[in-house]
Amino acid sequence: MTEHGGPEVLAAAEIPEPETTGKVLVELRTAGINRRDALIREGIGPGYRPRLPVILGSDGAGIRRDTGEEVIVLPSLRWGDSQRCASDSFAVLGGGPDGGTYAELVALPEENLYPKPKHLAWAEAGALSLSGLTAYRALFTVGDLRAGQTVVILGAGSGVSLIALQLAVKVGARVAVTSSSQDKLNLAQELGAVAGVDYTQPDWELHLRDEIGEADLVLDSVGSTLQESVMLLRPGGAVLSMGGTGAGGIVDGFDIRTLYLKHKRILGTAMGSPTDFAGFLDMVADGDIDPVIDSVYPLDEVAEAHSQLDANQRFGKIVLSTA
């Protein structure tokens, strides 16, 4: 990517192989596309305007050139020693000088490579990392989700929301979702959601609360829905705030009394640590959690793939393939 803009700014190019000093070269087979990639492409907001040119892509799966091992990529770079939060030098792969995974080759520190779960196809493995890592940390490391609790996941259809849904169902939680599409609500219920509402309808949060009762956790990647998320909580519950896709993440008219008078909490969470990633892969290992794949595009059709992302009609992850 040599400039910011729409999908058309993304194009294939031949460049030298990446420098491998202190790193491992991976021959990529697939790379998942994330909403973060579109934000960087458009240059929206601080943190999304890296020095150009840049190779996008945080998710990836491929083969180590030195050993032939099938691996998936941990996109968290330089997390640090604390489990509470990332270090000051933390970065996410694909948003700066570290070349991303929209490529045939990527050079990464060895600690960022993990064995590919054996049951996953390449497309699934390439779509796994960022969404799964983010969902796992939010639900378990930050949210302390347990069996029998109720969690609401906003925006059924994204990669993070669908992995979060599967993880929560796996541990015995009761899950409800929101979407503007009845088809997506139906598909989410096939994955284990007990209820779903159309968030374009007035007072959707009240209708959902009437249906399922109060929630222990609300997974909110929208941001502008913070008031509605807080209204869904039981006393002592928590909003897991992990994005700002709505209205640039700006919250207008929030009534702080709805928070503190009922001892409710807002907990910020983003990405995750190597420990989180290992915990997530442990949950995936038995084969009953799979990323939902919307579509797969050849690497040189990246602009078309991003057009599909921008259309917001997908259910699951869009993947690039080098095959």
Side-chain angles (χ1 to χ4, degrees):
M1 189 181 84
T2 58
E3 61 180 315
H4 296 289
E8 69 280 357
V9 304
L10 302 176
E14 293 289 338
I15 62 173
E17 288 194 4
E19 172 61 42
T20 58
T21 302
K23 296 182 179 180
V24 175
L25 197 62
V26 178
E27 299 175 353
L28 289 159
R29 293 293 182 267
T30 50
I33 294 178
N34 293 288
R35 176 58 61 185
R36 175 179 181 271
D37 302 343
L39 295 175
I40 296 173
R41 189 199 75 217
E42 296 170 0
I44 295 177
Y48 293 115
R49 297 189 68 87
R51 186 169 60 185
L52 302 178
V54 66
I55 299 173
L56 295 178
S58 305
D59 283 334
I63 298 173
R64 287 181 58 152
R65 179 172 282 184
D66 58 346
T67 65
E69 180 185 9
E70 295 182 348
V71 294
I72 63 171
V73 171
L74 166 64
S76 290
L77 300 171
R78 303 178 292 279
W79 175 274
D81 297 328
S82 174
Q83 271 294 98
R84 290 180 60 85
C85 61
S87 71
D88 291 340
S89 61
F90 172 73
V92 182
L93 180 66
D98 303 288
T101 55
Y102 289 13
E104 295 173 317
L105 298 171
V106 65
L108 291 168
E110 187 165 20
E111 58 265 28
N112 283 79
L113 302 178
Y114 287 71
K116 170 183 163 293
K118 296 184 184 301
H119 71 283
L120 293 181
W122 281 117
E124 295 171 325
L128 183 71
S129 299
L130 188 144
S131 297
L133 174 65
T134 302
Y136 178 90
R137 180 174 179 84
L139 290 175
F140 302 109
T141 305
V142 177
D144 193 28
L145 178 65
R146 298 182 301 277
Q149 291 186 320
T150 297
V151 57
V152 174
I153 299 173
L154 304 189
S158 73
V160 174
S161 68
L162 295 177
I163 284 287
L165 168 57
Q166 293 181 72
L167 292 172
V169 169
K170 182 179 177 71
V171 300
R174 184 167 166 259
V175 185
V177 300
T178 72
S179 177
S180 60
S181 163
Q182 187 59 50
D183 287 342
K184 292 182 180 180
L185 293 175
N186 293 339
L187 289 168
Q189 291 182 18
E190 290 179 13
L191 290 174
V194 299
V197 297
D198 182 345
Y199 64 73
T200 66
Q201 299 303 310
D203 299 324
W204 60 265
E205 74 282 5
L206 302 182
H207 294 299
L208 184 58
R209 193 174 65 184
D210 287 343
E211 184 171 354
I212 67 166
E214 295 174 316
D216 297 281
L217 298 171
V218 177
L219 193 64
D220 188 338
S221 61
V222 182
S224 58
T225 51
L226 184 61
Q227 184 69 80
E228 290 86 350
S229 293
V230 168
M231 294 300 293
L232 284 164
L233 293 174
R234 70 177 72 255
V239 176
L240 304 173
S241 177
M242 47 171 283
T245 60
I250 303 301
V251 180
D252 290 324
F254 182 77
D255 185 349
I256 194 68
R257 294 167 297 181
T258 62
L259 186 72
Y260 71 81
L261 287 175
K262 295 294 185 179
H263 304 274
K264 299 176 182 180
R265 298 164 293 151
I266 302 169
L267 304 174
T269 177
M271 294 293 292
S273 69
T275 300
D276 295 320
F277 197 52
F280 168 62
L281 291 180
D282 283 345
M283 291 189 69
V284 170
D286 61 10
D288 60 358
I289 291 178
D290 296 320
V292 178
I293 305 302
D294 177 270
S295 51
V296 180
Y297 289 82
L299 183 60
D300 60 3
E301 294 182 12
V302 61
E304 290 83 353
H306 266 246
S307 294
Q308 173 74 2
L309 179 73
D310 288 358
N312 203 31
Q313 298 301 311
R314 72 196 187 283
F315 187 79
K317 293 294 291 286
I318 302 170
V319 180
L320 299 174
S321 171
T322 62

